[in-house]
Amino acid sequence: MLGRLVAEGCDRYTSGARLDAWGAGEVRSYTAWQQKPGFVGSAADGVPGPFSRDRLEVPDV
């Protein structure tokens, strides 16, 4: 997922979390991405949901 955020230009936030962890920086990056296509309010909370994750085109691993 982080690779897709980078590809979408939403990697401007840093995080102190390990690469395999979801930290505060990733939440801010995901929030920035959610806002790009127009998500607002609780739909742009930085928590990946099925709909926004599909819109980001995150490959299943």
Side-chain angles (χ1 to χ4, degrees):
M1 182 171 317
L2 297 178
R4 288 294 303 136
L5 290 172
V6 169
E8 290 291 325
C10 294
D11 62 331
R12 60 188 178 270
Y13 305 105
T14 58
S15 176
R18 297 182 332 263
L19 291 177
D20 62 344
W22 193 258
E26 288 77 23
V27 170
R28 287 189 298 272
S29 293
Y30 202 82
T31 298
W33 180 82
Q34 288 172 318
Q35 293 169 343
K36 281 181 75 171
F39 293 104
V40 295
S42 64
D45 60 2
V47 177
F51 183 74
S52 65
R53 190 176 187 277
D54 287 347
R55 287 278 307 265
L56 183 57
E57 298 177 3
V58 176
D60 290 328
V61 289

